[in-house]
Amino acid sequence: MLRSCVSRLRMLAVLGGPPGVAPLPAKDPWSPRRSFSSEVIHMDLSLPNPSWSEDMRLLFDQFMKKSEDGSWKHLPSYKSKFTQRTEDIKIYFPDAKLMKEKLSQAQLFPRSFEEGLGFEYAMFHNCVEDRTVCIFQGGPYLQGVPGFLHGGAIATMIDATLGMCAIVAIGFAMTASLNISFKRPIPLGSVVVINSQVDKVEGRKLFLSCNIRSVDEKTVYSEATSLFVKLDPKTRLT
Amino acid sequence: MIRRGFQAVIRLGHHRVLPGAPHILPRLNRTSAFGSSTDSLVSRFCLEKTDLKDYALPNASWCPDMLNLYQEFLEKTKTDGWIKLPSFKSNRDHIQGLKLPFGLAATSDKSDWRIFTRCLQVEGQGYEYVIFFHPSRKKSICLFQPGPYLEGAPGFAHGGSLAAMMDETFSKTAYLAGEGLFTLSLNIRFKNLIPVGSLAVLNVDVEKIEDQKLYMSCIAQSRDQQRVYAKSSGVFLQLQLEEELSQ
């Protein structure tokens, strides 16, 4: 179980980055991000930047420390899922190769913003307990009711976190349903922690749930349950 | 069962007493549509005379389907009682003259805050959408075209972007139909992927208003209704916003 988890995490790193590039070592999260002059899209955006508040940095450090013994793992995150053709993408999206030129301007939605303005987040996976945690700071472009995060922005982060949890658990999966209960509005600019886990697996169906809490865990902002489905290579999506 | 957090909010909204100042808005009348009527909410929301930029207008990035359907509904605004809702950079612009919930002071207004669905302002890059609202039928139609920066799976819109568009359409409908302000719950069943750059039509209906909550349903489908992208339901909490006292 642990071995398959680790191999899937390696696949994730390959999916988004050039071959032979290892993630930055856990002990040195403050060193400048690796970047390539011709392909900025290969930067790991799940690393601290000047827009991160102190709460966010502290949490990040705590999780990086937990990653030192291997029970937790920091998950990298890139601007596009299509930075490199992989066998998985070719199978599920056979037309994607033809669309590559059009897609070169595409960006993964939660990474479409400049530093600090939209979604600032980092995800960590616990291989032993099989759960994924996302630390998230919502920027000024995610507003709904003035002063608070838009419900849709919260839904996007829930979908992204549960999606990552699902992919690590069973591979390429897509959202079938999302059920979100909003308990308290989240103030714009604050840091929250999204805890997600797999509840049940039934064949290709994956049932996951998550909750969104404040950093001190005293406030529950939202709760959600969802169903993700593992894609069947034989079924085309379009 | 109303959650504690929101329970406090309702109490704040109803019983806020301003020393020496009369209540400007009519007292709560549960037999009518909460506090203000839909017509007065709509006219205040739409701000007919304004310099603010309205983003819900056609531009070069709109696909032919979107332009055609937009024209169809524009005709219906003249003959059939539909209203095209303006879309400003921030929700604050839509509620000018009203107090923000939770007593947020005007000094906390930061000029770079903007509504999530207008976060990407380069034409065609993010959310291209326009909402038409029918006051008496309590219905909305949203024409939504997701751009390449809303991508999830290669070539298709991110599930979160559709969730956000549904939440936003629910939000405007809930506000105008009955002063709904905060999302209490969202339940979305995804059926098919929306290709980036194509048109999705969201049909929203208010099912009922009960216990200070608005219940709505939504179907997102292709223009010819042959392909259903997703179905959802949303519940919003009613919260009356008070007038800002002139200094």
Side-chain angles (χ1 to χ4, degrees), chain B residues 108-145:
Chain B
S108 63
D109 188 17
K110 304 209 164 87
S111 57
D112 59 347
W113 287 4
R114 51 172 90 152
I115 189 174
F116 180 44
T117 44
R118 292 295 175 200
C119 53
L120 297 160
Q121 293 188 307
V122 171
E123 271 176 21
Q125 214 175 55
Y127 292 92
E128 287 296 336
Y129 70 97
V130 54
I131 303 176
F132 290 89
F133 174 66
H134 199 292
S136 53
R137 288 182 216 163
K138 295 208 185 329
K139 274 175 77 68
S140 285
I141 303 257
C142 171
L143 312 183
F144 170 44
Q145 179 184 295

mmCIF file of all heavy atoms in Angstrom, chain B residues 108-145:
data_model
loop_
_atom_site.group_PDB
_atom_site.id
_atom_site.type_symbol
_atom_site.label_atom_id
_atom_site.label_comp_id
_atom_site.label_asym_id
_atom_site.label_seq_id
_atom_site.Cartn_x
_atom_site.Cartn_y
_atom_site.Cartn_z
ATOM 1 N N SER B 108 -11.943 49.210 5.660
ATOM 2 C CA SER B 108 -11.291 47.949 5.311
ATOM 3 C C SER B 108 -11.402 47.673 3.817
ATOM 4 O O SER B 108 -11.001 46.652 3.336
ATOM 5 C CB SER B 108 -11.925 46.796 6.088
ATOM 6 O OG SER B 108 -13.279 46.669 5.719
ATOM 7 N N ASP B 109 -11.982 48.598 3.088
ATOM 8 C CA ASP B 109 -12.132 48.426 1.647
ATOM 9 C C ASP B 109 -10.786 48.563 0.944
ATOM 10 O O ASP B 109 -10.181 49.627 0.939
ATOM 11 C CB ASP B 109 -13.109 49.495 1.120
ATOM 12 C CG ASP B 109 -13.451 49.257 -0.331
ATOM 13 O OD1 ASP B 109 -13.223 48.147 -0.820
ATOM 14 O OD2 ASP B 109 -13.944 50.186 -0.973
ATOM 15 N N LYS B 110 -10.323 47.483 0.355
ATOM 16 C CA LYS B 110 -9.050 47.560 -0.350
ATOM 17 C C LYS B 110 -9.339 47.598 -1.847
ATOM 18 O O LYS B 110 -10.127 46.832 -2.360
ATOM 19 C CB LYS B 110 -8.195 46.344 -0.007
ATOM 20 C CG LYS B 110 -7.981 46.205 1.490
ATOM 21 C CD LYS B 110 -6.680 45.518 1.839
ATOM 22 C CE LYS B 110 -6.344 45.749 3.282
ATOM 23 N NZ LYS B 110 -6.931 44.778 4.206
ATOM 24 N N SER B 111 -8.678 48.497 -2.535
ATOM 25 C CA SER B 111 -9.056 48.743 -3.927
ATOM 26 C C SER B 111 -8.777 47.555 -4.834
ATOM 27 O O SER B 111 -9.371 47.444 -5.885
ATOM 28 C CB SER B 111 -8.338 49.968 -4.462
ATOM 29 O OG SER B 111 -6.948 49.761 -4.322
ATOM 30 N N ASP B 112 -7.896 46.639 -4.445
ATOM 31 C CA ASP B 112 -7.608 45.536 -5.368
ATOM 32 C C ASP B 112 -8.494 44.320 -5.112
ATOM 33 O O ASP B 112 -8.347 43.309 -5.769
ATOM 34 C CB ASP B 112 -6.127 45.136 -5.304
ATOM 35 C CG ASP B 112 -5.730 44.705 -3.897
ATOM 36 O OD1 ASP B 112 -6.500 44.954 -2.953
ATOM 37 O OD2 ASP B 112 -4.647 44.109 -3.761
ATOM 38 N N TRP B 113 -9.473 44.408 -4.191
ATOM 39 C CA TRP B 113 -10.365 43.287 -3.993
ATOM 40 C C TRP B 113 -11.328 43.220 -5.167
ATOM 41 O O TRP B 113 -11.866 44.232 -5.594
ATOM 42 C CB TRP B 113 -11.150 43.460 -2.686
ATOM 43 C CG TRP B 113 -10.324 43.247 -1.465
ATOM 44 C CD1 TRP B 113 -8.991 42.997 -1.397
ATOM 45 C CD2 TRP B 113 -10.785 43.263 -0.112
ATOM 46 N NE1 TRP B 113 -8.592 42.854 -0.089
ATOM 47 C CE2 TRP B 113 -9.673 43.011 0.715
ATOM 48 C CE3 TRP B 113 -12.035 43.465 0.482
ATOM 49 C CZ2 TRP B 113 -9.775 42.944 2.104
ATOM 50 C CZ3 TRP B 113 -12.135 43.397 1.859
ATOM 51 C CH2 TRP B 113 -11.013 43.141 2.652
ATOM 52 N N ARG B 114 -11.551 42.012 -5.680
ATOM 53 C CA ARG B 114 -12.548 41.913 -6.731
ATOM 54 C C ARG B 114 -13.286 40.594 -6.633
ATOM 55 O O ARG B 114 -12.796 39.614 -6.076
ATOM 56 C CB ARG B 114 -11.951 42.096 -8.125
ATOM 57 C CG ARG B 114 -10.752 41.259 -8.471
ATOM 58 C CD ARG B 114 -10.418 41.405 -9.921
ATOM 59 N NE ARG B 114 -9.492 42.512 -10.151
ATOM 60 C CZ ARG B 114 -8.639 42.543 -11.158
ATOM 61 N NH1 ARG B 114 -8.587 41.553 -12.026
ATOM 62 N NH2 ARG B 114 -7.852 43.575 -11.323
ATOM 63 N N ILE B 115 -14.469 40.579 -7.244
ATOM 64 C CA ILE B 115 -15.293 39.381 -7.173
ATOM 65 C C ILE B 115 -14.620 38.253 -7.945
ATOM 66 O O ILE B 115 -14.030 38.457 -9.006
ATOM 67 C CB ILE B 115 -16.723 39.655 -7.694
ATOM 68 C CG1 ILE B 115 -17.624 38.462 -7.395
ATOM 69 C CG2 ILE B 115 -16.712 39.962 -9.187
ATOM 70 C CD1 ILE B 115 -19.076 38.692 -7.744
ATOM 71 N N PHE B 116 -14.686 37.054 -7.386
ATOM 72 C CA PHE B 116 -13.983 35.903 -7.915
ATOM 73 C C PHE B 116 -14.245 35.666 -9.395
ATOM 74 O O PHE B 116 -13.343 35.362 -10.172
ATOM 75 C CB PHE B 116 -14.384 34.684 -7.081
ATOM 76 C CG PHE B 116 -13.733 33.403 -7.499
ATOM 77 C CD1 PHE B 116 -12.384 33.354 -7.806
ATOM 78 C CD2 PHE B 116 -14.461 32.235 -7.572
ATOM 79 C CE1 PHE B 116 -11.782 32.167 -8.171
ATOM 80 C CE2 PHE B 116 -13.867 31.044 -7.931
ATOM 81 C CZ PHE B 116 -12.531 31.007 -8.234
ATOM 82 N N THR B 117 -15.493 35.804 -9.823
ATOM 83 C CA THR B 117 -15.797 35.484 -11.210
ATOM 84 C C THR B 117 -15.384 36.591 -12.186
ATOM 85 O O THR B 117 -15.595 36.475 -13.377
ATOM 86 C CB THR B 117 -17.300 35.182 -11.388
ATOM 87 O OG1 THR B 117 -18.044 36.165 -10.670
ATOM 88 C CG2 THR B 117 -17.628 33.810 -10.830
ATOM 89 N N ARG B 118 -14.802 37.661 -11.676
ATOM 90 C CA ARG B 118 -14.211 38.672 -12.566
ATOM 91 C C ARG B 118 -12.725 38.798 -12.234
ATOM 92 O O ARG B 118 -12.118 39.841 -12.408
ATOM 93 C CB ARG B 118 -14.915 40.032 -12.410
ATOM 94 C CG ARG B 118 -16.356 40.054 -12.900
ATOM 95 C CD ARG B 118 -16.472 39.822 -14.400
ATOM 96 N NE ARG B 118 -17.858 39.726 -14.861
ATOM 97 C CZ ARG B 118 -18.211 39.167 -16.014
ATOM 98 N NH1 ARG B 118 -17.301 38.656 -16.821
ATOM 99 N NH2 ARG B 118 -19.499 39.115 -16.367
ATOM 100 N N CYS B 119 -12.130 37.698 -11.772
ATOM 101 C CA CYS B 119 -10.743 37.728 -11.329
ATOM 102 C C CYS B 119 -9.771 37.849 -12.490
ATOM 103 O O CYS B 119 -8.717 38.452 -12.368
ATOM 104 C CB CYS B 119 -10.419 36.473 -10.540
ATOM 105 S SG CYS B 119 -10.833 34.948 -11.414
ATOM 106 N N LEU B 120 -10.102 37.246 -13.616
ATOM 107 C CA LEU B 120 -9.224 37.290 -14.781
ATOM 108 C C LEU B 120 -9.875 38.216 -15.782
ATOM 109 O O LEU B 120 -10.901 37.887 -16.372
ATOM 110 C CB LEU B 120 -9.061 35.875 -15.377
ATOM 111 C CG LEU B 120 -8.398 34.885 -14.419
ATOM 112 C CD1 LEU B 120 -8.704 33.457 -14.827
ATOM 113 C CD2 LEU B 120 -6.897 35.105 -14.400
ATOM 114 N N GLN B 121 -9.282 39.399 -15.941
ATOM 115 C CA GLN B 121 -9.984 40.414 -16.723
ATOM 116 C C GLN B 121 -9.573 40.509 -18.173
ATOM 117 O O GLN B 121 -10.195 41.224 -18.937
ATOM 118 C CB GLN B 121 -9.847 41.774 -16.032
ATOM 119 C CG GLN B 121 -10.610 41.765 -14.712
ATOM 120 C CD GLN B 121 -10.684 43.120 -14.065
ATOM 121 O OE1 GLN B 121 -9.661 43.772 -13.867
ATOM 122 N NE2 GLN B 121 -11.874 43.564 -13.756
ATOM 123 N N VAL B 122 -8.534 39.769 -18.566
ATOM 124 C CA VAL B 122 -8.179 39.768 -19.989
ATOM 125 C C VAL B 122 -9.295 39.044 -20.729
ATOM 126 O O VAL B 122 -9.701 37.941 -20.347
ATOM 127 C CB VAL B 122 -6.833 39.037 -20.212
ATOM 128 C CG1 VAL B 122 -6.563 38.843 -21.692
ATOM 129 C CG2 VAL B 122 -5.708 39.802 -19.554
ATOM 130 N N GLU B 123 -9.810 39.679 -21.774
ATOM 131 C CA GLU B 123 -10.951 39.112 -22.499
ATOM 132 C C GLU B 123 -10.721 37.670 -22.904
ATOM 133 O O GLU B 123 -9.718 37.341 -23.533
ATOM 134 C CB GLU B 123 -11.178 39.945 -23.775
ATOM 135 C CG GLU B 123 -12.115 41.107 -23.531
ATOM 136 C CD GLU B 123 -12.258 41.983 -24.775
ATOM 137 O OE1 GLU B 123 -11.976 41.486 -25.891
ATOM 138 O OE2 GLU B 123 -12.649 43.136 -24.615
ATOM 139 N N GLY B 124 -11.678 36.827 -22.549
ATOM 140 C CA GLY B 124 -11.632 35.452 -23.008
ATOM 141 C C GLY B 124 -10.750 34.519 -22.208
ATOM 142 O O GLY B 124 -10.756 33.314 -22.418
ATOM 143 N N GLN B 125 -10.007 35.070 -21.240
ATOM 144 C CA GLN B 125 -9.047 34.221 -20.529
ATOM 145 C C GLN B 125 -9.694 33.385 -19.434
ATOM 146 O O GLN B 125 -9.362 32.228 -19.228
ATOM 147 C CB GLN B 125 -8.000 35.131 -19.879
ATOM 148 C CG GLN B 125 -6.625 34.562 -19.821
ATOM 149 C CD GLN B 125 -5.652 35.589 -19.268
ATOM 150 O OE1 GLN B 125 -5.829 36.146 -18.193
ATOM 151 N NE2 GLN B 125 -4.616 35.834 -20.021
ATOM 152 N N GLY B 126 -10.645 33.994 -18.712
ATOM 153 C CA GLY B 126 -11.252 33.321 -17.563
ATOM 154 C C GLY B 126 -12.744 33.131 -17.749
ATOM 155 O O GLY B 126 -13.195 32.435 -18.656
ATOM 156 N N TYR B 127 -13.520 33.764 -16.845
ATOM 157 C CA TYR B 127 -14.974 33.651 -16.914
ATOM 158 C C TYR B 127 -15.531 34.691 -17.879
ATOM 159 O O TYR B 127 -15.395 35.878 -17.651
ATOM 160 C CB TYR B 127 -15.589 33.939 -15.539
ATOM 161 C CG TYR B 127 -15.309 32.911 -14.481
ATOM 162 C CD1 TYR B 127 -14.214 33.050 -13.642
ATOM 163 C CD2 TYR B 127 -16.158 31.821 -14.303
ATOM 164 C CE1 TYR B 127 -13.962 32.111 -12.655
ATOM 165 C CE2 TYR B 127 -15.909 30.882 -13.315
ATOM 166 C CZ TYR B 127 -14.808 31.039 -12.506
ATOM 167 O OH TYR B 127 -14.559 30.107 -11.530
ATOM 168 N N GLU B 128 -16.192 34.226 -18.933
ATOM 169 C CA GLU B 128 -16.986 35.152 -19.738
ATOM 170 C C GLU B 128 -18.425 34.760 -19.455
ATOM 171 O O GLU B 128 -18.822 33.613 -19.697
ATOM 172 C CB GLU B 128 -16.672 35.021 -21.230
ATOM 173 C CG GLU B 128 -15.320 35.591 -21.643
ATOM 174 C CD GLU B 128 -15.214 37.109 -21.433
ATOM 175 O OE1 GLU B 128 -16.265 37.797 -21.410
ATOM 176 O OE2 GLU B 128 -14.080 37.594 -21.296
ATOM 177 N N TYR B 129 -19.208 35.665 -18.886
ATOM 178 C CA TYR B 129 -20.581 35.293 -18.570
ATOM 179 C C TYR B 129 -21.488 36.503 -18.487
ATOM 180 O O TYR B 129 -21.045 37.631 -18.285
ATOM 181 C CB TYR B 129 -20.652 34.508 -17.251
ATOM 182 C CG TYR B 129 -20.357 35.330 -15.998
ATOM 183 C CD1 TYR B 129 -21.387 35.869 -15.231
ATOM 184 C CD2 TYR B 129 -19.044 35.530 -15.582
ATOM 185 C CE1 TYR B 129 -21.113 36.604 -14.080
ATOM 186 C CE2 TYR B 129 -18.762 36.262 -14.435
ATOM 187 C CZ TYR B 129 -19.798 36.792 -13.686
ATOM 188 O OH TYR B 129 -19.528 37.521 -12.548
ATOM 189 N N VAL B 130 -22.777 36.222 -18.653
ATOM 190 C CA VAL B 130 -23.806 37.255 -18.472
ATOM 191 C C VAL B 130 -25.025 36.548 -17.872
ATOM 192 O O VAL B 130 -25.340 35.421 -18.237
ATOM 193 C CB VAL B 130 -24.147 37.967 -19.798
ATOM 194 C CG1 VAL B 130 -24.522 36.985 -20.895
ATOM 195 C CG2 VAL B 130 -25.265 38.978 -19.606
ATOM 196 N N ILE B 131 -25.673 37.232 -16.922
ATOM 197 C CA ILE B 131 -26.848 36.641 -16.270
ATOM 198 C C ILE B 131 -28.088 37.458 -16.591
ATOM 199 O O ILE B 131 -28.084 38.689 -16.458
ATOM 200 C CB ILE B 131 -26.656 36.597 -14.731
ATOM 201 C CG1 ILE B 131 -25.390 35.806 -14.377
ATOM 202 C CG2 ILE B 131 -27.875 35.966 -14.063
ATOM 203 C CD1 ILE B 131 -25.067 35.784 -12.894
ATOM 204 N N PHE B 132 -29.135 36.761 -17.023
ATOM 205 C CA PHE B 132 -30.438 37.385 -17.237
ATOM 206 C C PHE B 132 -31.363 36.902 -16.131
ATOM 207 O O PHE B 132 -31.405 35.710 -15.832
ATOM 208 C CB PHE B 132 -31.016 36.990 -18.608
ATOM 209 C CG PHE B 132 -30.280 37.608 -19.768
ATOM 210 C CD1 PHE B 132 -29.194 36.967 -20.348
ATOM 211 C CD2 PHE B 132 -30.673 38.842 -20.277
ATOM 212 C CE1 PHE B 132 -28.511 37.542 -21.417
ATOM 213 C CE2 PHE B 132 -30.003 39.425 -21.348
ATOM 214 C CZ PHE B 132 -28.910 38.770 -21.910
ATOM 215 N N PHE B 133 -32.114 37.823 -15.531
ATOM 216 C CA PHE B 133 -32.977 37.482 -14.395
ATOM 217 C C PHE B 133 -34.419 37.845 -14.705
ATOM 218 O O PHE B 133 -34.686 38.900 -15.309
ATOM 219 C CB PHE B 133 -32.479 38.254 -13.160
ATOM 220 C CG PHE B 133 -33.337 38.123 -11.936
ATOM 221 C CD1 PHE B 133 -33.471 36.895 -11.282
ATOM 222 C CD2 PHE B 133 -34.015 39.223 -11.415
ATOM 223 C CE1 PHE B 133 -34.266 36.777 -10.150
ATOM 224 C CE2 PHE B 133 -34.805 39.108 -10.279
ATOM 225 C CZ PHE B 133 -34.929 37.886 -9.645
ATOM 226 N N HIS B 134 -35.358 36.978 -14.304
ATOM 227 C CA HIS B 134 -36.769 37.282 -14.502
ATOM 228 C C HIS B 134 -37.406 37.459 -13.136
ATOM 229 O O HIS B 134 -37.593 36.471 -12.409
ATOM 230 C CB HIS B 134 -37.462 36.156 -15.274
ATOM 231 C CG HIS B 134 -38.748 36.588 -15.897
ATOM 232 N ND1 HIS B 134 -39.861 36.908 -15.147
ATOM 233 C CD2 HIS B 134 -39.095 36.781 -17.198
ATOM 234 C CE1 HIS B 134 -40.836 37.284 -15.974
ATOM 235 N NE2 HIS B 134 -40.404 37.208 -17.204
ATOM 236 N N PRO B 135 -37.745 38.699 -12.738
ATOM 237 C CA PRO B 135 -38.204 38.972 -11.370
ATOM 238 C C PRO B 135 -39.464 38.208 -10.968
ATOM 239 O O PRO B 135 -39.518 37.642 -9.883
ATOM 240 C CB PRO B 135 -38.474 40.476 -11.378
ATOM 241 C CG PRO B 135 -37.659 41.005 -12.488
ATOM 242 C CD PRO B 135 -37.599 39.938 -13.516
ATOM 243 N N SER B 136 -40.480 38.163 -11.840
ATOM 244 C CA SER B 136 -41.719 37.533 -11.378
ATOM 245 C C SER B 136 -41.629 36.011 -11.414
ATOM 246 O O SER B 136 -42.203 35.331 -10.564
ATOM 247 C CB SER B 136 -42.918 38.023 -12.184
ATOM 248 O OG SER B 136 -42.669 37.847 -13.559
ATOM 249 N N ARG B 137 -40.898 35.466 -12.375
ATOM 250 C CA ARG B 137 -40.781 34.004 -12.413
ATOM 251 C C ARG B 137 -39.702 33.500 -11.479
ATOM 252 O O ARG B 137 -39.538 32.303 -11.305
ATOM 253 C CB ARG B 137 -40.443 33.539 -13.851
ATOM 254 C CG ARG B 137 -41.604 33.670 -14.799
ATOM 255 C CD ARG B 137 -41.222 33.149 -16.179
ATOM 256 N NE ARG B 137 -41.858 33.967 -17.211
ATOM 257 C CZ ARG B 137 -41.483 33.990 -18.492
ATOM 258 N NH1 ARG B 137 -40.466 33.264 -18.902
ATOM 259 N NH2 ARG B 137 -42.113 34.755 -19.348
ATOM 260 N N LYS B 138 -38.911 34.403 -10.915
ATOM 261 C CA LYS B 138 -37.794 34.055 -10.025
ATOM 262 C C LYS B 138 -36.887 33.014 -10.673
ATOM 263 O O LYS B 138 -36.629 31.936 -10.130
ATOM 264 C CB LYS B 138 -38.305 33.571 -8.663
ATOM 265 C CG LYS B 138 -39.037 34.664 -7.899
ATOM 266 C CD LYS B 138 -38.933 34.460 -6.415
ATOM 267 C CE LYS B 138 -39.718 35.413 -5.549
ATOM 268 N NZ LYS B 138 -39.976 36.747 -5.950
ATOM 269 N N LYS B 139 -36.447 33.355 -11.867
ATOM 270 C CA LYS B 139 -35.574 32.463 -12.643
ATOM 271 C C LYS B 139 -34.379 33.250 -13.125
ATOM 272 O O LYS B 139 -34.471 34.461 -13.313
ATOM 273 C CB LYS B 139 -36.292 32.031 -13.934
ATOM 274 C CG LYS B 139 -37.183 30.846 -13.876
ATOM 275 C CD LYS B 139 -37.858 30.691 -15.234
ATOM 276 C CE LYS B 139 -36.935 30.094 -16.272
ATOM 277 N NZ LYS B 139 -36.587 28.692 -16.017
ATOM 278 N N SER B 140 -33.286 32.534 -13.376
ATOM 279 C CA SER B 140 -32.134 33.167 -14.009
ATOM 280 C C SER B 140 -31.587 32.277 -15.096
ATOM 281 O O SER B 140 -31.705 31.050 -15.026
ATOM 282 C CB SER B 140 -31.006 33.381 -13.003
ATOM 283 O OG SER B 140 -31.279 34.429 -12.156
ATOM 284 N N ILE B 141 -30.990 32.929 -16.090
ATOM 285 C CA ILE B 141 -30.254 32.171 -17.114
ATOM 286 C C ILE B 141 -28.873 32.782 -17.164
ATOM 287 O O ILE B 141 -28.731 34.001 -17.281
ATOM 288 C CB ILE B 141 -30.896 32.325 -18.505
ATOM 289 C CG1 ILE B 141 -32.337 31.881 -18.472
ATOM 290 C CG2 ILE B 141 -30.099 31.582 -19.547
ATOM 291 C CD1 ILE B 141 -32.603 30.537 -19.056
ATOM 292 N N CYS B 142 -27.847 31.927 -17.079
ATOM 293 C CA CYS B 142 -26.480 32.430 -17.171
ATOM 294 C C CYS B 142 -25.832 31.823 -18.411
ATOM 295 O O CYS B 142 -25.840 30.611 -18.598
ATOM 296 C CB CYS B 142 -25.687 32.046 -15.918
ATOM 297 S SG CYS B 142 -23.930 32.407 -16.045
ATOM 298 N N LEU B 143 -25.312 32.705 -19.276
ATOM 299 C CA LEU B 143 -24.549 32.223 -20.436
ATOM 300 C C LEU B 143 -23.086 32.244 -20.018
ATOM 301 O O LEU B 143 -22.553 33.297 -19.693
ATOM 302 C CB LEU B 143 -24.754 33.151 -21.642
ATOM 303 C CG LEU B 143 -26.200 33.535 -21.985
ATOM 304 C CD1 LEU B 143 -26.241 34.388 -23.250
ATOM 305 C CD2 LEU B 143 -27.064 32.297 -22.158
ATOM 306 N N PHE B 144 -22.446 31.093 -19.995
ATOM 307 C CA PHE B 144 -21.092 30.957 -19.446
ATOM 308 C C PHE B 144 -20.145 30.350 -20.467
ATOM 309 O O PHE B 144 -20.409 29.287 -21.027
ATOM 310 C CB PHE B 144 -21.168 30.081 -18.184
ATOM 311 C CG PHE B 144 -19.834 29.651 -17.616
ATOM 312 C CD1 PHE B 144 -18.776 30.543 -17.492
ATOM 313 C CD2 PHE B 144 -19.646 28.348 -17.153
ATOM 314 C CE1 PHE B 144 -17.553 30.151 -16.951
ATOM 315 C CE2 PHE B 144 -18.436 27.945 -16.594
ATOM 316 C CZ PHE B 144 -17.387 28.844 -16.498
ATOM 317 N N GLN B 145 -19.023 31.049 -20.721
ATOM 318 C CA GLN B 145 -17.994 30.529 -21.616
ATOM 319 C C GLN B 145 -16.672 30.497 -20.852
ATOM 320 O O GLN B 145 -16.107 31.549 -20.547
ATOM 321 C CB GLN B 145 -17.865 31.431 -22.841
ATOM 322 C CG GLN B 145 -16.797 30.977 -23.823
ATOM 323 C CD GLN B 145 -16.645 31.954 -24.980
ATOM 324 O OE1 GLN B 145 -17.560 32.145 -25.779
ATOM 325 N NE2 GLN B 145 -15.487 32.581 -25.067
#
